[in-house]
Amino acid sequence: MSETLTCQELVEIVTGYLEDALTPEDRARFEAHLSACKNCTAHFDQMRQTIALVGHLSEETIPEESKVELLELFRDWKKKVR
Amino acid sequence: MSQPLTFYTDAELVAALRRGDEEAFRTLFEKYHAGLVRLAMSYVSNRAAAEDVAQETWLGVLNGLDRFEGRSSLKTWIFTILINRAKTRGQRESRSLPFSALGDADSDPDEPAVDPDRFISPPDSTHRGGHWASSPHTFPEAQALTSETGSVIRNSIAALPPTQRQVITLRDVDGFSADEVCNILEISETNQRVLLHRARAKVRRALEKYFAEGKS
């Protein structure tokens, strides 16, 4: 990577940045670019929003049917081991 | 009623399960079952098969309680059991699938995070180019996930190559750390990061498209 990052280069290291996996130099380049580039800031926001939105999938609930089956599975297991 | 899961340590939970404490089992499956099914979906062809694999996993967990040594967290141990079962089931299924359905879909070496058309090509040798040709826009802020946005995300994750799907599901949905994911999936740190980046980039693309269509 040269002295400064282009926008096209920046979008490839967003996860590296968020994972704290960049070298201190690349981290500084990343932050310098971001502070001066409205478009990359918007892209970076999109990535963070994407992560947050994907996280909402964890709110999915278990169907009642599965709960009943799992409790049956547990009771059967208990009978067998005792 | 016994105390909620947050008051249990892994060791306490395992001890409660060994005693046959149904409330402990309920707390545990309410926390992880949906995640197990979600992860199994990347190995098998449909939801019913994924549910089966998750249930087999719970039975494996119960039967294997004496083997849990606490070297990894209980959560990691449970998900590792799931992966072993899901792989076996997936292999059995793939033998009955047409050959075209197989293949290593993760081997796309230079997949850009953003469509190269979104950037201006270098105009001449003095410029390096690579600037945005069309501006990205921050997504509209929403407090909760609408069912439509949820579908866009679920569909884009379902369309990912299996390992990308596994990594984004474990990291961004089920909250595993990078280290845990490397352990569970037996991949390197770098590989984990590349897969996560590609997966997030594709979901971001799907969301950008969806929100842009909504505006027009």
Side-chain angles (χ1 to χ4, degrees), chain B residues 112-125:
Chain B
V114 176
D115 189 336
D117 291 349
R118 293 289 301 275
F119 299 97
I120 298 161
S121 309
D124 56 58
S125 56

Side-chain angles (χ1 to χ4, degrees), chain A residues 15 46 60 69 75 82, chain B residues 19 22 55 137 197 204:
Chain A
T15 301
Q46 283 187 355
E60 277 172 339
E69 286 170 0
R75 288 169 194 155
R82 299 198 158 207
Chain B
R19 285 197 306 271
E22 191 170 298
Q55 293 200 10
H137 300 283
H197 187 62
R204 183 207 64 81

Side-chain angles (χ1 to χ4, degrees), chain A residues 31-43:
Chain A
E31 286 170 352
H33 183 117
L34 210 61
S35 67
C37 180
K38 175 170 104 330
N39 286 337
C40 284
T41 300
H43 173 82

